[in-house]
Amino acid sequence: MSGHPTTTELEAFLNGRLPMKSMGVVVRHLLHGCPTCVAQLKKGRSLLKAGDRGLSGAEDAAYSAVLDRSVKKARHIHREANRARKIESLLVEGGIKAVVQEADVPLSGLGMYTALLSRSWAIRHEDPREMVRLARVAVEVAGRLDVRLYGSQSVVDLQARAWGELANAFRVSDDLPEAERAFGTAFELFQKGTGDLYLKVRLYDLQASFLGTRRKFALAFASLDVTYKTYIELGDKHLAGRSLLIKAIYQYYSGFPEEALKISKVGMPLIDSTREPDLLFQAVHNEVTFLVACGRFKDGRRALFDHQPQLGRQIGKVNSLKLRWLQGQISFGLLDLDSAEEAFLESKNGFESAGLGFASALAALDLALVWMRQERYSDTEVLVAEAADVFLAIGARGETVSAIMILKDAFEKRHGTMVLLESVVEFLRQTQIDPEACFTPRFE
C-alpha cells in the first residue's frame, strides 16, 4: 500500500464489510506496524466518523471491543496466508491425498481455500481434471467459512470467486454445460456480496474465455473491453495486458490476424513476466503465429530473434518445441527448405517423445510438404501413411477422420498432390481453433 487506509476502508474493515481483496492490503498495512494508523487506533480516535470529537466512556468501550476483534481478525488472516503457502506446497507434492491423509490437514479455513484455488489455477495447462477437482473442493470449503469471523458478505464474495474458478476449470476440461451453470451461480452470488470490483473483473475475465471457447466472439470482445478498462482503473497493467492478449487470440480465431497483431502489440509491453512466466511465451508464440498467418515470414523470424533474450532458457521442453515448429513454418514460407526440414523433423520427434501425438503427426505433415517440394514422393507417401495412422490411433473424430482417410487413400494410390496435402494441413490447424470446422478437399 502506497498510502494509509482511507476512513471508508477502515470503517468497512472494522465492521466486517471490507472486500477480501482489499482486506489483504489493509491487513498487511496494519501488521507492518504503520505508526500513524496504530497510534490513532490506540488513542481510540474515531476513524469511523467525521471530525475529531471525543468519545464517551460507552463509545470508547464499544470502539475498543470492535478494535480488538479487528486486530484478532487481522492476525488470523495473516496466519491463514502463511497456512495457505504450506498447504499449497503439500498440494504440489501429492495433491489432496497428501494434504488430508498424509499431513492430516482438515479441508477447512481461508488458508485451505486460498491454496486450493491457487494450485487449481497453476495446473490449468497440465491437468484439467485435477484443476476441476481442486476447484470443487474450494467451493465446498468456501461454503463452510465462518461468517462471524469474515463477515457474511465477504464470505459470499469468496463463494462467488470459487464458483467462478470452478466454471473456468470446467471450460478448460471442455465441460461447457457445467461451466455455464457454474458461471450462473458465481454471478448470482456476486450480486449478494460486497460488490468488490476486483471480484467483478475477475469473473468477467474468466467468462470472456468461456465466451471465446463457445465462439461467441462479439460478447467475448465486449467482456474483454470492460475487463481491460477496469484493470487499468485499478492500476493493474499486467492483467490489463493479459486481457488484450486474450482478445488478440480471439481476433485471430475470428479470421483477422492483422487486427490480432495490432492488439497484441499494445498488450505485450503491459505484462509482467515475473507474475506469469508462461504468459510471455504465449504472447511471443501468438505474435509470431499471427505474422505467419499474415504471410509476414521475415517479420516472424525477426520477432523470434528479438524476443529470444526475454524468453531465456526457462520456457520448458514442449514450449521450445512449439517455437522450433514455428521456425519451421517460417523457413518453409521463405522457401528455405533445408532449414524447414530440420525444424519439422526435430519438432515431430520431440512431440512424439513428449507423448503429444496430434502435434507430432501434424508436424509430420508439415515435413511431408517440404518433401513434396523437394520431389521426394516415395518418402512423402510413407510419412503421410504414418501420420494418418497416428491421427486415427489417437481418436480423431468427425470430419477429421474423413480428411485423414482421403489423404491416406490418395497417397496410397499415388494420386496425392501438394494441393491436397496443403488443404488437409490447413484444415487440421483450423480444427485446433474451431472443432466444428468443415473440410473441403482441394485436389488441383
Side-chain angles (χ1 to χ4, degrees):
M1 175 174 282
S2 58
H4 302 287
T6 66
T7 299
T8 301
E9 287 173 329
L10 285 172
E11 179 179 5
F13 170 66
L14 293 172
N15 289 328
R17 295 197 304 269
L18 188 67
M20 292 306 297
K21 179 74 176 183
S22 303
M23 177 77 77
V25 178
V26 172
V27 167
R28 285 193 296 273
H29 181 79
L30 294 174
L31 289 174
H32 193 264
C34 168
T36 302
C37 293
V38 171
Q40 289 184 348
L41 289 172
K42 285 183 176 180
K43 289 178 183 177
R45 284 191 175 276
S46 179
L47 295 176
L48 307 180
K49 299 177 182 179
D52 290 324
R53 67 175 183 81
L55 298 175
S56 68
E59 287 176 324
D60 184 64
Y63 178 74
S64 296
V66 172
L67 179 58
D68 287 342
R69 289 197 300 270
S70 299
V71 169
K72 289 180 181 178
K73 181 193 294 186
R75 289 174 178 165
H76 171 79
I77 292 174
H78 184 65
R79 287 194 299 270
E80 287 296 296
N82 291 331
R83 181 168 172 260
R85 287 190 286 270
K86 294 176 183 177
I87 293 172
E88 188 168 2
S89 295
L90 292 172
L91 290 171
V92 171
E93 293 172 8
I96 292 288
K97 182 179 178 181
V99 173
V100 178
Q101 296 182 10
E102 298 172 18
D104 195 25
V105 178
L107 292 173
S108 61
L110 185 61
M112 175 62 71
Y113 166 92
T114 303
L116 288 166
L117 289 187
S118 178
R119 182 58 183 160
S120 176
W121 175 259
I123 60 174
R124 62 194 183 280
H125 299 307
E126 305 165 21
D127 194 342
R129 287 186 179 180
E130 183 66 6
M131 181 188 185
V132 170
R133 186 183 178 199
L134 293 173
R136 279 187 188 277
V137 179
V139 166
E140 295 174 7
V141 172
R144 296 193 297 269
L145 289 173
D146 190 346
V147 296
R148 294 171 298 177
L149 182 60
Y150 302 110
S152 59
Q153 286 187 308
S154 291
V155 167
V156 171
D157 281 354
L158 292 168
Q159 292 170 347
R161 171 69 187 274
W163 276 99
E165 299 297 337
L166 177 58
N168 187 55
F170 281 133
R171 177 194 66 83
V172 172
S173 62
D174 293 325
D175 191 344
L176 299 186
E178 284 297 321
E180 186 168 16
R181 282 190 284 271
F183 271 123
T185 301
F187 279 104
E188 285 177 12
L189 287 167
F190 174 78
Q191 297 297 323
K192 301 174 183 177
T194 64
D196 183 14
L197 190 56
Y198 285 95
L199 173 59
K200 183 178 182 179
V201 73
R202 176 63 176 172
L203 293 178
Y204 269 105
D205 197 348
L206 296 176
Q207 190 185 45
S209 295
F210 171 72
L211 292 169
T213 302
R214 294 286 299 270
R215 302 191 65 78
K216 296 181 178 180
F217 293 125
L219 289 174
F221 294 150
S223 184
L224 287 167
D225 286 342
V226 172
T227 301
Y228 168 74
K229 292 175 183 177
T230 304
Y231 279 133
I232 289 294
E233 178 185 341
L234 293 171
D236 197 326
K237 291 184 179 180
H238 170 76
L239 292 180
R242 193 176 188 278
S243 298
L244 289 180
L245 295 179
I246 295 172
K247 184 176 181 180
I249 195 68
Y250 290 154
Q251 284 284 5
Y252 169 66
Y253 289 171
S254 300
F256 301 101
E258 286 284 4
E259 185 62 27
L261 192 59
K262 292 177 184 177
I263 296 171
S264 179
K265 291 288 188 184
V266 177
M268 280 189 66
L270 298 177
I271 65 173
D272 178 359
S273 61
T274 62
R275 287 178 60 176
E276 287 186 83
D278 286 348
L279 186 58
L280 176 62
F281 165 78
Q282 293 296 337
V284 172
H285 180 274
N286 290 343
E287 179 181 322
V288 177
T289 299
F290 304 155
L291 288 167
V292 169
C294 294
R296 296 168 56 180
F297 301 109
K298 290 184 178 179
D299 290 336
R301 184 170 60 184
R302 187 179 303 109
L304 275 179
F305 178 80
D306 290 343
H307 288 298
Q308 197 62 48
Q310 294 173 276
L311 295 174
R313 300 176 181 272
Q314 306 302 318
I315 60 174
K317 180 180 178 181
V318 172
N319 285 343
S320 295
L321 288 170
K322 289 179 180 179
L323 290 183
R324 191 73 176 112
W325 195 6
L326 271 178
Q327 288 174 338
Q329 294 172 44
I330 290 169
S331 295
F332 185 73
L334 294 172
L335 298 181
D336 185 352
L337 299 184
D338 290 338
S339 294
E341 178 183 12
E342 182 180 346
F344 288 144
L345 187 59
E346 184 179 329
S347 302
K348 169 187 172 297
N349 294 336
F351 286 134
E352 183 178 359
S353 297
L356 300 175
F358 187 96
S360 176
L362 188 51
L365 294 184
D366 280 329
L367 179 59
L369 286 170
V370 175
W371 287 355
M372 284 287 283
R373 283 282 176 90
Q374 295 173 333
E375 300 184 355
R376 295 166 57 179
Y377 300 115
S378 297
D379 290 337
T380 302
E381 289 170 2
V382 173
L383 188 59
V384 166
E386 291 176 352
D389 289 341
V390 171
F391 281 119
L392 297 175
I394 62 178
R397 298 178 182 178
E399 292 201 34
T400 301
V401 175
S402 299
I404 294 301
M405 292 303 299
I406 290 172
L407 182 69
K408 184 179 182 181
D409 289 345
F411 274 89
E412 282 180 349
K413 295 175 181 178
R414 303 207 169 186
H415 295 313
T417 65
M418 185 74 172
V419 173
L420 175 61
L421 182 55
E422 286 177 337
S423 68
V424 172
V425 170
E426 289 173 9
F427 167 70
L428 292 174
R429 290 197 201 286
Q430 185 63 26
T431 61
Q432 298 301 284
I433 297 172
D434 179 9
E436 304 300 322
C438 297
F439 176 56
T440 304
R442 301 195 306 272
F443 294 95
E444 284 295 352

